[in-house]
Structure formats: structure tokens, C-alpha cells
Amino acid sequence: MRLEPVEAPTLARRIGYPAAALAATVLVAAALAGIAGGNPLAVLGQIVDGAVGTKFARLETLNRATPLIFTGLAVAVAFRAKLWNIGAEAQLYLGAVATVLIGTQSGLPGPLVIPAMAAGAVVAGALMLLGPTLLKTKLGVDEVVTTLLLNFVVLLFVGYLLEGPMKDPMGMGWPKSPSLPKEARLPRIVEGLRLHWGFGIALICALGVWLVQAKTTLGFEMRAVGLNARAARFAGMPVNAVLAKTALISGGLAALAGFSEVAGLKGNLTADISPGFGYTGIVVAMLALLNPLGVVVSALFVAGIFVGADSMSRSAGVPSYIADILLASALLFMVLALMLSRFRVVRG
Amino acid sequence: MDITDILLSATFWAAVLRIASPLIFATMGELICERAGVLNLGIEGIMVAGAFAGWIAVYAGLPLWAGVGCAFLTGVCFGLIHGTLTVPFGLSQHVVGIGITMLASAATYFAYRVALPEVSSPPRIEAFQPTGWPILGSQTVLTWAALASVAITAWVLFRTPLGLALRAVGENPAAVEAQGLPVHGLRMGAVAVGSGLMAVGGSFLTLSAFNSFFFDMVNGRGWICIALVVFGAWMPGRALLGALLFAGFDAFQVRLQQTELGAGLPYQLFLAMPYLLSILALILMSRRAEVPGALMVPYNKGER
């Protein structure tokens, strides 16, 4: 078989295949629920219900979506320029470390401390990705492997900090950092509702990334480098500089996920603040077709699946890992669907 | 105990081979995939799936070698998914590979929970025992199989027409097509068999090292194997050397932690060493690495 480009894909073709991908994911979910001994329809219903059925569930989904918007944006920005940042997890954790350090140690007055924490997180995450990116551009070291390996290193580093220099002396021996003072906590968007301003910042970031990509020279250069780095270089673009800037933005965005989780949700740092938000960001970004505004929608969708599966698992007894399988299948089905909407399979 | 005592002890060298064995299998698997032009980032998840498949088969009462076979077949299945998406459909090998790792690990954990819903600590199995042979007697027969996999991989790749075709398909697929050989078939086969080997590498952990399955037991070994392939410059023998060096360092750091020098340092530093060392190896080899010419380049007939 071979693939033939479809010159002008019809709307049906462009929508039909992604819709089929989602339908296939639902079928996988139903099959898995059956395998685990549940009633497929009931399990699917419970996932949806657990994600959006009650006010509490909806707020929980929004809270869970917040870090995913940040990591999804980080991945979307990087992948658009074909910078394979698989290290959002590490950048998130370093952002969280910077947030706690500044929040508890700087002694800045109230209104300054939150911006300082955010800025510190961005710098930490940006530098974290700049290293592997320079190794790629200067020495040709594949950034996929280095960013992946650094995730493990950073997690161990955080573990060391939490058992050593950053350990909370009042923590009864638990490896956690001291709590942020009240003025260093992100306020809630609506008083009384468990949703903090991290979500608002995430939406602003999505809009900002969209503006950069759609309206600025840098956005154009990032796209050009992603489409064809050699052609971009031939056209006189500073490809390495573009990649470095992409890395700073991407790493900074991922670090904001750590900032938002610590300053908005948890109030302190533990080694388990991220159950893989950095990796899930890849799924979020791909489902959004790397579109920054789409990232918001897909982060809500992905968060809903996680929250819904958690709640379903408690009542129906189907393991909550079903959510991870669904997301991985959705990712694979979706990349296939996108290809099929632009190419035709021809025999011979 | 000081450093020379460590290096002269027999248990140290036994540990080196034990640590290296899963890496050797999986590194050979990745090397075969990459030689044929396909980067397989599914390796980490495929090792998780292999570790589980081998263990659950033996736990269910099958003989040990059947466990290894189940692991291999599980790897082949995930390899076929990876291959179908990346070879004929030519999708991004990065995205698909990460997707396969997510899928294989999640499916494994799901299957584990479905199979053993109420278990808090995973049951142990009767695993491969040391052979007691005059050479390397403290090793299990799977370690010998790992060493054999290097010889077989090298022999097939460099001494057989099939190996020539596989290497050619990773260098210049159009030339292979011109010879009338099936480019997609060769690549699919390489990914399937390579993934099978990765899964066998994973099963070494459950069938020969820890005798039980637990979450996160692969713990980045797959990513390290990707670094080892680069370190080995895509040559089986050199990759073996890399795996042994790496395992040697790993075995050394565990023992160093117990010395006075090591006790003063945070243990996380030692645990981070394997990953840092892999990155260092990548940096050192970056200038001289001979990357297969068509690595990560999908082949579509009639396209130049």
C-alpha cells in the first residue's frame, strides 16, 4: 500500500475520521469495562456522571484540567516546532520547587510574592528545557531521550530536597515542604467555590500562546522550523535561536503547572504533586491538534476522563487505569485519523 | 570495604551480569528496530508489559520458558501496533512510540488489577534459578540467553542476506524497493521481533531478578536502552559493552553507598547516576555516532 495526498479534503473527511477515532475510543472503553466484569453502558455512564454530574464533580474536573492546560500548551508549543519536549514532568517539578522557595524564603511583601513565584517557576522550567535543547542544536543529542531521562533525575532531586534542605520541620517526618504563607496562595476565582486562579492564568496563557503563534514573527518562525528546518535555515531563519526560544516558552509553561498546583491547590510541595501531568500533556496537545485554544478543550476532556474514571472505579470496581488506556488509545487513534483525513490509502 | 574490595568481589561481577541482562535483551530489540529505520519509543511500556506477561503466565501455572514465550508474544503484539502505525501509515515515530509506552503500561496495570483485585503485595513465583555451571554459575540461564541474543543479532544483521536487507531498509529503502524486496514487510518484521526482545528483557525482571511483579519496576530502563543503542553506535557488540559498563557502574554505586564515602552523600544522587550516565554517554557519542540514514524517515512508494 501507499499513501496519496488528498488535494482538497472535504469537510466530511476532515471531521469524519477524528469522529471515528473518538467513537473507536469509546468502543475500547466499553470492551475494557466488559473485560473487568462491569456493564459497559453503566460504566460509561458513571464516567460521564463522575466527571460532570454534580457541581463538585465539575469543579474537580476544572481543577484537574488546570495543570493539564499548562503542560498541554508546553507540549503544543514545542511539538509545533518539532522540538520533542517529553520533559514537562521535570519542568513542572522544578517550577514547583522554585515556587515554594520564593514563597517561603523571599520575605517579599504580599502583592509581590505571587508574581515573583510565577516568574521564578518560569525561569526554572525554561532553563530546564534549554539544556537539552542546546545539546540538540549544538551536538545533535536527541532531546527525546535526554528530556525523558531528566524526568527521573529531577524527581530524585525533588525527593532529596524534601528529605533534606527543604523538609518541613513541622511535617512530623513526612517528606514535604513547609506550607506557603497565606499571601502566597492563589485566591479562589469565586469565593466559596473550590477553584483557584491557576485556572484563570491557564486560560490567559492559552490565549497568549495563540496570539504568539498566530500574530508574531516568532510564531511564524516556530511553525516554519517545525515544517521543514532545512528550508527554514535556507530561507535565512536562525533555526537554533528559534528552537531555543521555543524551549524557553515551553519549559516555562510546563513549570507554571507546578506553580499553579502548589500555590493554588496544595499549598506545599510533595513528591507526588503530579501523577504524570507532564506525560498526559502530550495526549492533551495531540488531541488538540497542537492548537493552543484547542488545548483548553482537550484538557477539560482529558481531566473529565480521569475524574470520571476515579469516581466510576470506586462504585463499579473497574480499575481506574481504564482512563490511561483510553487516553493512550485516543492519542493513537487520533494521529491515525488526522493522517487519513489528509491522505488516501492506495493499493500497490 | 573500600573500592578495590568492591571491584575484586565475585558478587560484584555477578551483579553486573544480572543488572545488564534485561538491558541487553531490550537494547538488542531497539537496535534491530533502529537498524531497520524505526525508532521504537514504545520500549519502556513494552518492557512493563513483558515483565507482567511473563510473570502472570508462570503464576497461572505455565512453565518458565512458556512465560518467556508469552512475554515475547506480548511484545510482538505491541510491536505490530507500533509498526502498523509508523511503517505503512508513516505516522510520527515519536508520538506513536510515546503512545505505545502509555498504552502498554496502562494496559498492564489494568490487567494486573483485573487479575488480582484484592492483592496488596504481589505474589512471588518460582523463578529461574542459578545454573551452578562452572562459568557464571550464579547466573540464571536467561543471562546466557541475553548474551546469545547479542551474538545472534550480530550474526543475522551482518552475516545473512536478511540482515543485509534489514540494514539497507534503514539506510536507503528506495534501493531495497528497487531490488524487489518488501520495504514495509522488512520494517514491520524488525519492529515486531525487536519489540518481542524488549518484552523478554522486561520479563527477566520478573522471571529471574525480582520473582514478582510490581508497578514501576522497569523504572526508566527502556529509555536507558535507547541511550545504549546510540552509545553502541548501532553495533550489537559495542552496545553489549555499553550495557556491561553501565551495569558495572550501577552495581558499583549500590556498593559504594554502603562505604563511608557513600554514606555521607544523599542516596538519591546514587539513584540518579544511571540516568545522568546515560545522558553523558549520549553527549560523548554525539559527534561520532553513525545514525542509520533512514532512521525516523517513513517510506512511501513513489515519493522521493
Side-chain angles (χ1 to χ4, degrees):
Chain A
M1 64 172 268
R2 76 200 153 82
L3 304 168
E4 227 174 53
V6 179
E7 290 303 333
T10 58
L11 190 65
R13 194 177 182 93
R14 276 184 292 152
I15 294 178
Y17 279 108
L22 287 182
T25 308
V26 173
L27 281 182
V28 169
L32 290 171
I35 290 171
N39 171 349
L41 276 180
V43 166
L44 290 177
Q46 281 174 349
I47 293 181
V48 175
D49 200 46
V52 294
T54 61
K55 190 168 154 194
F56 178 81
R58 287 190 288 273
L59 285 171
E60 191 56 31
T61 299
L62 290 176
N63 266 327
R64 192 76 72 94
T66 302
L68 292 177
I69 296 176
F70 286 118
T71 55
L73 287 172
V75 172
V77 165
F79 279 23
R80 178 71 79 190
K82 293 247 163 67
L83 177 70
W84 303 105
N85 174 16
I86 322 288
E89 194 78 2
Q91 293 137 29
L92 181 156
Y93 270 101
L94 275 197
V97 167
T99 302
V100 169
L101 279 180
I102 296 171
T104 57
Q105 307 290 324
S106 69
L108 286 167
L112 286 181
V113 67
I114 287 179
M117 280 161 28
V122 168
V123 170
L127 293 179
M128 183 74 221
L129 184 55
L130 187 62
T133 307
L134 290 179
L135 285 179
K136 170 198 173 81
T137 54
K138 303 285 176 206
L139 296 172
V141 179
D142 186 29
E143 76 278 21
V144 173
V145 189
T146 47
T147 52
L148 272 169
L149 290 167
L150 284 171
N151 287 339
F152 293 86
V153 176
V154 167
L155 205 56
L156 286 163
F157 175 62
V158 170
Y160 159 71
L161 289 178
L162 292 178
E163 286 177 23
M166 274 175 76
K167 186 172 181 173
D168 181 6
M170 318 290 276
M172 322 258 267
W174 287 102
K176 65 186 191 73
S177 78
S179 295
L180 294 175
K182 194 165 182 310
E183 67 270 19
R185 297 290 304 271
L186 285 171
R188 305 212 159 159
I189 295 179
V190 178
E191 203 47 56
L193 288 187
R194 193 171 165 270
L195 180 67
H196 57 83
W197 261 102
F199 184 71
I201 299 175
L203 295 183
I204 295 167
C205 283
L207 201 63
V209 170
W210 177 77
L211 280 174
V212 168
Q213 289 197 333
K215 306 283 177 197
T216 67
T217 318
L218 177 62
F220 172 74
E221 288 177 333
M222 279 155 59
R223 219 168 34 244
V225 168
L227 283 174
N228 189 336
R230 273 172 68 187
R233 186 168 282 131
F234 191 69
M237 274 180 207
V239 171
N240 288 356
V242 172
L243 283 174
K245 286 179 205 164
T246 308
L248 294 176
I249 298 175
S250 171
L253 284 166
L256 281 177
F259 158 77
S260 147
E261 286 298 281
V262 169
L265 201 62
K266 303 284 171 65
N268 61 15
L269 174 61
T270 51
D272 60 355
I273 52 161
S274 167
F277 289 136
Y279 301 101
T280 311
I282 299 169
V283 182
V284 169
M286 291 310 297
L287 291 183
L289 319 184
L290 307 186
N291 176 318
L293 300 179
V295 161
V296 176
V297 180
S298 86
L300 288 168
F301 173 73
V302 169
I305 290 188
F306 273 121
V307 173
D310 274 350
S311 134
M312 176 279 302
S313 173
R314 281 190 294 273
S315 53
V318 174
S320 61
Y321 289 105
I322 192 172
D324 302 87
I325 304 186
L326 289 189
L327 294 178
S329 345
L331 170 69
L332 294 174
F333 285 135
M334 194 55 90
V335 282
L336 181 62
L338 289 177
M339 206 275 309
L340 289 175
S341 63
R342 289 182 297 116
F343 291 87
R344 188 181 290 124
V345 177
V346 189
R347 287 183 69 86
Chain B
M1 190 151 94
D2 68 17
I3 289 169
T4 37
D5 289 340
I6 292 175
L7 291 178
L8 290 175
S9 72
T11 54
F12 169 76
W13 292 100
V16 171
L17 278 167
R18 202 165 50 240
I19 295 168
S21 298
L23 301 177
I24 294 171
F25 278 121
T27 303
M28 288 307 123
E30 183 68 37
L31 191 145
I32 292 169
C33 295
E34 293 194 18
R35 272 287 183 171
V38 181
L39 172 74
N40 191 345
L41 292 179
I43 183 169
E44 178 82 7
I46 292 172
M47 287 181 79
V48 175
F52 175 73
W55 174 79
I56 194 85
V58 175
Y59 178 67
L62 291 179
L64 284 165
W65 282 106
V68 177
C70 284
F72 184 82
L73 288 179
T74 308
V76 169
C77 289
F78 283 108
L80 287 175
I81 303 176
H82 186 293
T84 306
L85 294 173
T86 54
V87 177
F89 286 113
L91 298 173
S92 158
Q93 294 176 9
H94 284 116
V95 175
V96 170
I98 297 289
I100 293 287
T101 281
M102 289 179 174
L103 181 68
S105 345
T108 301
Y109 297 154
F110 183 82
Y112 176 81
R113 278 280 167 248
V114 170
L116 302 157
E118 303 295 333
V119 181
S120 54
S121 70
R124 298 177 72 81
I125 51 166
E126 200 57 43
F128 282 102
Q129 298 301 317
T131 56
W133 296 342
I135 315 168
L136 306 178
S138 60
Q139 304 298 320
T140 69
V141 63
L142 269 190
T143 294
W144 288 91
L147 296 172
S149 79
V150 180
I152 295 169
T153 305
W155 180 75
V156 171
L157 278 178
F158 296 99
R159 293 278 183 274
T160 66
L162 174 66
L164 181 64
L166 279 176
R167 285 183 291 130
V169 97
E171 290 289 347
N172 188 350
V176 175
E177 179 85 48
Q179 295 281 319
L181 292 169
V183 171
H184 288 173
L186 284 164
R187 283 189 167 173
M188 289 281 287
V191 176
V193 172
S195 303
L197 277 177
M198 295 168 190
V200 171
S203 77
F204 183 93
L205 298 172
T206 47
L207 297 182
S208 186
F210 298 103
N211 304 0
S212 160
F213 175 83
F214 47 89
F215 287 26
D216 294 328
M217 74 188 306
V218 174
N219 204 9
R221 283 184 176 83
W223 311 132
I224 287 168
C225 291
I226 294 199
L228 285 175
V229 172
V230 180
F231 180 80
W234 288 269
M235 305 294 272
R238 275 200 249 174
L240 168 67
L241 187 68
L244 289 172
L245 269 175
F246 179 88
F249 191 85
D250 206 21
F252 181 67
Q253 61 92 4
V254 171
R255 283 158 182 76
L256 195 63
Q257 280 186 63
Q258 292 148 9
T259 65
E260 245 172 81
L261 173 70
L265 293 167
Y267 70 92
Q268 290 96 346
L269 180 67
F270 293 100
L271 293 180
M273 274 302 163
Y275 310 111
L276 291 171
L277 207 64
S278 301
I279 294 173
L280 186 71
L282 286 174
I283 295 172
L284 290 178
M285 296 306 289
S286 63
R287 287 279 180 214
R288 330 193 262 127
E290 303 260 320
V291 189
L295 183 62
M296 290 190 274
V297 184
Y299 180 72
N300 194 16
K301 205 190 293 183
E303 217 176 61
R304 287 289 171 268

